[in-house]
Amino acid sequence: MSDTPFGFGLPPEEPDDGDEGKKKDQESGGGQGPANPFGFGGLPGAGGFGGGPGADNPFAAMFGSLNPNDLGAAFQQLGQMLSYEGGPVNWDMAKQIARQTVSQGSPDGTKDTSVGPAERKAVEEAVRLADLWLDDATSLPSGAGSAVAWSRAEWVEATLPAWKELVDPVAERVGTAMGDVLPEEMQAMAGPLIGMMRSMGGAMFGTQIGQAVGVLAGEVVGSSDIGLPLGPAGKAALLPVNIETFGKDLSVPQEEVRLYLALREAAHQRLFAHVPWLRSHLFGAVDGYARGIKVDTAKLEDVVGQFDPQNPEQLQEALQQGMFQPEDTPEQKAALARLETALALVEGWVDAVVHAAAKPRLSSADALRETLRRRRASGGPAEQTFATLIGLELRPRRLRDASRLWASLTDARGVDGRDALWHHPDMLPTATDLDDPDGFVHREQIDFSELDKMLGEAADKPDLKKPDPKKKDEGEGETKGDDAE
């Protein structure tokens, strides 16, 4: 993960900007890291606005002692740097920095490469074979209309729309908080500055998201590694360069590693393609959790007020302590539990289905299963990314419990009965059910038999059958008799 939360510091490739860029180079030792991340040094106006650094104005140290008459010049310079008018995140910046991060290579030294014809063919064949094997393990039909092999840069391009949907709600809250940090007297006399601070928040998030997604691109092996559908619908995607790195130290043939990962990707595609409510359910759970996050404005104000352009590391260290706190409310706890359970159920189902398909066919199935379980549950790159971006650890904590539950359902009700639970979210197991999978299986069997009985009784009711002419005549006769009386 990046050591520069919220984008305080652009990658070395970022071009310098005129005299300000020269100053940044001088202060940071030849371009190794900007000493003044947002370019506020050298702003015009040294007169006494808001007192000296550390005065009541928390931005005094950042802006110097700005004269109100020079605010226009400050806005112009800041606007040139940010050059963004849009939502809470500067996604153009995020994309640019993600690609720059990818081009630098991953920490293990591997570089991104274009995918060749042989690798594309290998991925296509692996996904095709995986889909054939999955036909015996699940009643859900294939969800992959095509199989693609992506470079890391292509993964970035393809997944940014999903990141936007996930991150924008929290970024909006942070942008608002950036404006709220300004003292009331400054808000009254410098309304445009509030908008500029929100743009700054967009730049900060754009930089950090770009760095995080760029790092993640160096480790993911497909489009669904984190349990969410990040790529386009119907495209089973694998990253050959990362698959090679993943399998390098496993003592497993590369073909088996690729095929096992293709099984996981194809299983995710089936689930998200044929459970139409699932994507919105997961993204809605993330959004519900995000709405309950509060930004620590006191910490934000303190950090910004003590900002020293000559010591950016101090700012980075302060921000690394975290700016988000979940609301300690029943609603927030319920939202987190709902999200964690949903992630566990998705990953548990994929784990169980893939194991059933791979176990009879791949000698390395058990070893690969355990490796991926540990990788997924230990808080890998996905968890770190979300923890940094939206204060959320996106980890299926109950993965093994969910996998055991799905396996028990398969034994008790068969593949069709197990997969039928995806018809509606209310039919899925809850967090409590993960504690007692056998109890859930038994209870569901009773519930379904009772439902069948109720439907049968409803079908036998007279008002649901065709009218009996004889009974109709008798009824008419009684009516006539009543009338006569």
Side-chain angles (χ1 to χ4, degrees), residues 26 35-37 66 139 141 209 252 258 262 267 317 413 423 426 436:
Q26 293 168 358
N36 186 350
L66 276 180
S139 61
I209 291 167
V252 175
R258 183 191 304 113
E317 185 177 329
R413 304 186 55 201
H423 287 168
D426 290 344
D436 182 20

Side-chain angles (χ1 to χ4, degrees), residues 122-131 134 144 147 221 224 236-238 243 255-269 354 372:
V123 167
E124 290 172 358
E125 290 178 350
V127 172
R128 187 180 303 113
L129 181 57
D131 254 339
L134 287 172
V221 294
S224 54
L238 297 176
I243 291 176
E255 293 76 13
E256 289 196 19
V257 174
R258 183 191 304 113
L259 184 51
Y260 194 88
L261 295 176
L263 281 166
R264 288 184 53 83
E265 178 72 11
H268 277 103
Q269 292 293 332
V354 168
L372 284 161

